[in-house]
Amino acid sequence: MEEKTKSVPKATLHRYPVYLKALRKLKAEGVNRIMSRELAEYVSIESTTIRRDFSFLGNLGKQGYGYNVDDLIRIFSEQLGMNFDEKIILVGCGHLGKALLNYNHWNHVVGEIVCAFDLNPEDVGQAAVPVYGLNEISEKIPEGCRIAILCITKEVQETVDLLVANGITGMVSFSSEHFTVPANVSVKTVDVVSSIQELVFETNSK
């Protein structure tokens, strides 16, 4: 599988998460088998493209039968290294953090936010998941949790160090503060301002 992955075009790899999300939604809706033309309507991608994308992973379907949804979910999950039951924590329950908690629709892709932490949990109000104090991370972090979403502006490095010490190896950061992590920890920074600047530049260049 690893050798085959190396030959998959980047454009195809970018579509694999789209397929996986759609397949998990279909499974939740009770769909067990699907034809490429049906999946094409669901994800707005040409059926010929879907069949070509699937072909990089082997002979996944049968003529006239289509694709087994469970089999596809398993194959794409293995291909992408995605765990449906990934436990995600959110750190910082300000306006952005609350918005992410209310959204919390990652369950069709990688898991879901199972709890949150904040400097003042008593001020957060009603939330869909338990909200604990930052000083409770060591006690309340879910077993096996590896991913954290950072929406904090204070004590960022100290909080990051605490998360790493408690097993977090991947972070999505909305923080504008600089921080460092060990080599084995991955960080994906979401910079909305830079994205808007790039968009303005691209728009003005047309």
Side-chain angles (χ1 to χ4, degrees), residues 172-187:
V172 176
S173 175
F174 288 88
S175 175
S176 59
E177 300 292 323
H178 174 73
F179 59 86
T180 60
V181 295
N184 67 316
V185 177
S186 300
V187 178

Side-chain angles (χ1 to χ4, degrees), residues 112-201:
E112 62 183 348
I113 298 172
V114 294
C115 67
F117 297 89
D118 193 81
L119 274 173
N120 302 296
E122 65 278 0
D123 296 336
V124 175
Q126 189 173 4
V129 300
V131 180
Y132 306 111
L134 280 178
N135 59 350
E136 298 180 273
I137 286 179
S138 298
E139 302 170 16
K140 299 295 187 179
I141 192 168
E143 184 178 355
C145 179
R146 303 178 300 169
I147 307 298
I149 301 174
L150 303 182
C151 299
I152 53 177
T153 56
K154 299 178 180 179
E155 300 180 10
V156 177
Q157 185 65 61
E158 293 88 342
T159 302
V160 167
D161 292 343
L162 182 58
L163 290 170
V164 172
N166 282 278
I168 295 298
T169 57
M171 303 182 196
V172 176
S173 175
F174 288 88
S175 175
S176 59
E177 300 292 323
H178 174 73
F179 59 86
T180 60
V181 295
N184 67 316
V185 177
S186 300
V187 178
K188 298 294 183 182
T189 301
V190 181
D191 190 335
V192 177
V193 173
S194 293
S195 296
I196 294 174
Q197 288 175 333
E198 291 174 8
L199 186 60
V200 170
F201 177 78

Side-chain angles (χ1 to χ4, degrees), residues 1 4-5 8-23 45 49-50 52-58 60 75-77 79-80 82:
M1 180 69 75
K4 181 177 285 290
T5 301
V8 178
K10 286 186 178 180
T12 295
L13 286 174
H14 289 163
R15 286 190 289 268
Y16 281 173
V18 176
Y19 298 142
L20 180 57
K21 182 175 182 178
L23 290 163
I45 297 173
T49 300
I50 291 175
R52 184 175 66 250
D53 289 347
F54 284 15
S55 70
F56 288 103
L57 302 179
L60 306 184
I75 291 168
F76 280 116
S77 295
Q79 177 74 16
L80 297 169
M82 289 183 167

Side-chain angles (χ1 to χ4, degrees), residues 30 37-38 62 69 74 83 95 116 125 135 148-149 161 164 191 202:
R37 65 176 181 275
E38 296 170 327
K62 297 179 181 179
V69 172
R74 175 181 55 79
N83 179 3
H95 294 303
N135 59 350
I149 301 174
D161 292 343
V164 172
D191 190 335
E202 291 174 6

